[in-house]
Amino acid sequence: MTDRKLNADAIRVLAMDAVQQANSGHPGAPMGMADIAEVLFNDFLSHNPNNPQWINRDRFVMSNGHGSMLPYAALHLSGYDLSIDDLKNFRQLHAKTPGHPEYGYTPGIETTTGPLGQGIANAVGMALSEKLLATQFNEQDLSVIDHHTYVFLGDGCLMEGISHEACSLAGTLKLGKLIAVYDDNNISIDGEVDGWFTDDTPGRFTAYGWHVVADVDGHDPEAIQAALNEARSVTDRPSIICAKTVIGSGAPNKAGSHDCHGAPLGVEEIQATREALDWQWDAFDIPQSVYDAWDAKDSGQQKEASWQSLFDRYQQQYPDKAAELLRRMNGELPANWSEKVSAYVKQVAEDAPQMATRKASKLALEGLGPMLPEFFGGSADLTPSNNTFWSGSKSINDGDFSGNYMSYGVREFAMCAIMNGMTLHGGLLPYGATFLMFSDYARNALRMAALMKIRSIFVFTHDSIGVGEDGPTHQPVEQTPTLRMIPNMSVWRPCDAVESVVAWQHAIENANGPTSLLFTRQNVQHQERSDQQIDNIHRGGYVLIDSAKTPELILIGTGSEVGIAAEATRRLQSAGHQVRLVSMPCAELFDAQDEEYRHQVLPPSCVKRIAIEAAQGDYWYKYVGLQGRVIGQNTFGESAPGNQLFAHFGFTTDAIVNQAEELLG
């Protein structure tokens, strides 16, 4: 038995034993890719188990995240803060080893994977970040940003459409430090994939513009090593290594079968596997010689120390750039950020512009963008409509990676997943845009951003039937409330330019999760506010127009409907009613306020309430209660000018006044 085989077999036995103990999991992929992982981690990966956040570490992503026991085993063996007891707790409550790799739980895990295809898209974002930051910060002989992104992926990742979106773009961008290893084992849960997946994968990636290393024996360490060396030598294109493997390699009766894909091997097969591998140790018992061979703590410390010496010279010669790089990698906002952005909000309030909030969003970018060199914008082929290209934007699509903007093409899902990878890499603050209707294409990437609690900013314009003539195929109805249903997602739907700038401010400052910014196509009215009301926008919901006495009716509006509700409020007040208008641009932020403030805005004593939003309305009953009403959009739209549709579907001052008078009796 060679030491190299023994070291790889350690992954196999840890994977099968952990899955067996949990009585849940996927042993096949870790066992099949064990030889590849052993070569990658021990011969190529530049990382430091003592500091998983080292800036210039190589990134490793397990896109086929059901094989989570592979990275867990490799990280444990390499010396990360991941004990054998943590492996024994695989898939158990509050364990550091969840069922699929999750960012923030396990040291060394770079992103949450499991929904197939997203890991490779995240990796594209990481590799793009490396290239952008290297262009911006490296100086001659002082390459402080210089690392690779490695990603494992399987048949399932390649079947998912997002892999096409992301890998096509990676080839166009020529991301030479992105190296993918395809686990070509011909098996998925349903069995042999020949009945549903017969793509010419090498040909497909050649067509994308990738460098392809085909027909590699995934169980031959020398062949794997040669393939990785070849991939690393090609710097003008991303590389994919097509490695032929046997799923469940080492299991004498179940290897090569879907029986070991998503279920424990079973006690008898595990014993047979130990005998077949000549593995002489009990479950979770790893010989010290294997730990010694895998241990990367000393070598990792040396690699980081060598880089730190380089960075020290960089700091001496380029102190401003070094400080800027560290600030950005630490996720810190620039000095005097709060004062500058507050001043800009007040300036916009004084100018009182009346415009579509998508244009107000660009106004926000014009004011805030110069303060944020880490901004990296983009749009899924809708830049002129999304208004995301501001005067300081510079496109990288011509190959100039000193820029800060990218046209992603019609790739909404990949755009959002690539943005997540960029956020996770650090050093950049990405925002990407499309129409709100097409958030459906990207929904799982939005969910992953929320699950990871990362600061990705998703811009969605054309937010209602106000889209107009494009008709119901392009008019969102259910999208706004379903975005609000995603835990950790902040959803802002501002009513005018002032709220739009504040929405951007909060998205930029929100370090605890992603933000969806929803903007109108049509013009909206500017709302006058006091300084206190401007401050209260930051609380997600606030009193925009108050009644002279205790309110007998409260109107609650968001987005373009606030202007209509404001007119209705004034008419009702003129008729002698005590009516209050509450603008609620971000319900999640309002809900996070203390009870005293929430009751000041929505006093429990006032039970007559009407919420107005041009979207499916059930969400709002939590604020209006059983005695209140919701004026919402509970059918699909129509093809007509937006103002006609608002009248047709009841989003008018008259309709609100009529509903209010009925409710007031």
Side-chain angles (χ1 to χ4, degrees):
M1 180 187 294
T2 65
D3 289 343
R4 180 132 255 176
K5 180 179 183 302
L6 183 70
N7 296 336
D9 285 346
I11 291 181
R12 293 187 170 95
V13 296
L14 286 172
M16 72 180 185
D17 287 340
V19 171
Q20 185 67 35
Q21 178 145 316
N23 196 30
S24 174
H26 300 73
M31 297 176 74
M33 298 193 79
D35 300 295
I36 302 170
E38 191 276 329
V39 173
L40 175 64
F41 270 76
N42 291 325
D43 294 358
F44 292 93
L45 200 67
S46 182
H47 63 128
N48 182 8
N50 307 285
N51 180 15
Q53 298 305 312
W54 170 32
I55 290 174
N56 200 46
R57 68 191 182 278
D58 287 340
R59 271 60 170 180
F60 170 71
V61 175
M62 187 81 180
S63 187
N64 44 344
H66 53 273
S68 57
M69 271 307 304
L70 183 148
Y72 295 158
L75 293 169
H76 165 73
L77 294 167
S78 298
Y80 283 78
D81 182 18
L82 193 67
S83 69
I84 197 69
D85 286 335
D86 291 323
L87 300 192
K88 291 178 181 178
N89 283 328
F90 178 57
R91 292 197 164 203
Q92 304 310 299
L93 185 63
H94 304 313
K96 291 167 71 173
T97 49
H100 290 77
E102 291 189 39
Y103 174 74
Y105 278 76
T106 316
I109 294 297
E110 302 283 0
T111 181
T112 298
T113 57
L116 294 175
Q118 288 199 66
I120 177 62
N122 294 161
V124 171
M126 294 174 187
L128 174 58
S129 292
E130 193 275 343
K131 191 163 188 174
L132 290 165
L133 293 173
T135 302
Q136 293 174 24
F137 287 99
N138 287 353
E139 296 289 344
Q140 188 173 9
D141 299 325
L142 291 171
S143 296
V144 292
I145 299 296
D146 182 15
H147 56 263
H148 286 81
T149 300
Y150 297 96
V151 55
F152 287 0
L153 68 158
D155 292 311
C157 295
L158 293 179
M159 283 186 260
E160 290 285 1
I162 187 175
S163 69
H164 163 70
E165 295 181 27
C167 294
S168 166
L169 187 57
T172 298
L173 296 174
K174 303 183 186 304
L175 300 178
K177 290 185 179 176
L178 173 62
I179 297 176
V181 181
Y182 165 38
D183 179 28
D184 183 9
N185 62 33
N186 204 51
I187 295 293
S188 68
I189 289 178
D190 277 2
E192 295 185 7
V193 301
D194 292 341
W196 51 88
F197 184 61
T198 57
D199 292 12
D200 175 6
T201 298
R204 169 183 167 183
F205 277 81
T206 298
Y208 289 154
W210 286 52
H211 169 66
V212 177
V213 186
D215 299 321
V216 175
D217 183 348
H219 301 297
D220 180 349
E222 292 185 0
I224 299 163
Q225 191 175 59
L228 285 165
N229 276 321
E230 180 181 336
R232 285 167 58 92
S233 72
V234 177
T235 59
D236 63 344
R237 289 167 288 164
S239 293
I240 185 169
I241 297 168
C242 298
K244 197 66 182 174
T245 66
V246 177
I247 191 171
S249 173
N253 301 304
K254 294 187 176 182
S257 165
H258 68 104
D259 291 339
C260 64
H261 186 294
L265 294 183
V267 174
E268 292 183 2
E269 183 69 0
I270 285 178
Q271 182 56 39
T273 302
R274 277 190 162 77
E275 294 173 1
L277 296 176
D278 194 22
W279 187 266
Q280 302 166 17
W281 299 272
D282 294 331
F284 300 105
D285 184 10
I286 304 297
Q288 187 59 45
S289 62
V290 171
Y291 280 120
D292 292 342
W294 272 88
D295 189 4
K297 287 184 287 188
D298 288 344
S299 61
Q301 195 70 35
Q302 292 171 10
K303 289 174 182 176
E304 183 171 355
S306 176
W307 175 86
Q308 187 62 53
S309 176
L310 178 76
F311 190 73
D312 289 343
R313 301 205 313 272
Y314 184 82
Q315 282 183 303
Q316 292 174 2
Q317 297 184 41
Y318 307 98
D320 292 342
K321 292 186 73 170
E324 176 67 9
L325 176 60
L326 290 176
R327 176 190 72 79
R328 289 166 57 172
M329 292 302 295
N330 290 330
E332 299 169 358
L333 291 172
N336 303 319
W337 160 260
S338 296
E339 294 85 352
K340 291 179 180 178
V341 70
S342 295
Y344 188 64
V345 171
K346 290 183 179 180
Q347 176 188 328
V348 172
E350 291 170 0
D351 292 343
Q354 183 166 314
M355 58 178 64
T357 55
R358 63 170 173 158
K359 293 183 179 179
S361 170
K362 184 176 182 180
L363 184 69
L365 290 172
E366 293 289 355
L368 306 183
M371 308 178 202
L372 297 165
E374 59 264 49
F375 247 1
F376 186 86
S379 176
D381 202 49
L382 291 168
T383 293
S385 296
N386 295 147
N387 289 150
T388 42
F389 194 92
W390 55 286
S391 60
S393 295
K394 178 182 177 182
S395 177
I396 70 167
N397 291 97
D398 59 358
D400 182 355
F401 285 85
S402 66
N404 62 357
Y405 192 91
M406 180 165 70
S407 293
Y408 287 88
V410 187
R411 299 181 176 100
E412 297 88 356
F413 194 1
M415 174 182 73
C416 294
I418 288 169
M419 287 168 53
N420 289 345
M422 298 177 75
T423 303
L424 290 161
H425 180 280
L428 296 165
L429 177 53
Y431 65 90
T434 184
F435 289 171
L436 177 56
M437 185 68 246
F438 304 141
S439 66
D440 285 352
Y441 283 129
R443 183 57 57 102
N444 206 266
L446 308 185
R447 185 176 188 272
M448 290 299 100
L451 185 63
M452 292 187 280
K453 301 179 183 178
I454 59 174
R455 187 175 50 173
S456 296
I457 302 175
F458 305 110
V459 179
F460 299 118
T461 67
H462 296 59
D463 68 344
S464 73
I465 55 173
V467 170
E469 293 87 345
D470 277 341
T473 61
H474 283 53
Q475 294 166 1
V477 172
E478 73 277 18
Q479 283 69 27
T480 298
T482 55
L483 285 174
R484 292 193 182 111
M485 291 171 66
I486 301 175
N488 306 325
M489 175 71 75
S490 295
V491 180
W492 281 81
R493 190 166 182 256
C495 75
D496 66 0
V498 177
E499 286 189 0
S500 296
V501 177
V502 173
W504 267 105
Q505 177 185 353
H506 272 266
I508 292 162
E509 294 175 353
N510 183 11
N512 299 311
T515 302
S516 290
L517 301 174
L518 279 50
F519 297 120
T520 68
R521 178 196 185 198
Q522 73 275 22
N523 286 343
V524 294
Q525 303 170 19
H526 170 73
Q527 302 298 321
E528 294 293 335
R529 299 174 183 82
S530 67
D531 287 346
Q532 183 60 59
Q533 286 175 310
I534 292 175
D535 289 341
N536 285 342
I537 297 172
H538 296 269
R539 307 187 80 163
Y542 64 102
V543 178
L544 181 60
I545 302 176
D546 208 357
S547 54
K549 300 178 182 178
T550 302
E552 57 181 327
L553 172 69
I554 299 175
L555 302 181
I556 307 170
T558 71
S560 52
E561 292 75 73
V562 170
I564 303 167
E567 294 177 7
T569 300
R570 296 186 186 99
R571 274 180 49 181
L572 289 164
Q573 289 181 345
S574 297
H577 296 294
Q578 299 299 319
V579 180
R580 168 182 290 182
L581 173 60
V582 171
S583 177
M584 197 175 291
C586 182
E588 297 80 16
L589 187 56
F590 178 75
D591 288 346
Q593 304 303 306
D594 60 77
E595 184 180 80
E596 180 182 3
Y597 177 78
R598 288 184 281 113
H599 284 179
Q600 286 176 3
V601 176
L602 298 174
S605 59
C606 183
V607 297
K608 294 181 179 179
R609 305 176 183 181
I610 301 175
I612 308 103
E613 183 173 56
Q616 210 286 336
D618 289 352
Y619 176 86
W620 291 102
Y621 282 102
K622 71 186 230 180
Y623 298 109
V624 304
L626 296 177
Q627 299 182 56
R629 297 186 181 186
V630 175
I631 300 175
Q633 179 71 30
N634 296 322
T635 67
F636 292 117
E638 298 284 350
S639 294
N643 59 345
Q644 294 181 22
L645 293 175
F646 267 62
H648 176 72
F649 287 107
F651 298 102
T652 64
T653 301
D654 288 343
I656 296 171
V657 169
N658 291 338
Q659 292 263 13
E661 289 178 338
E662 286 182 16
L663 194 58
L664 290 167

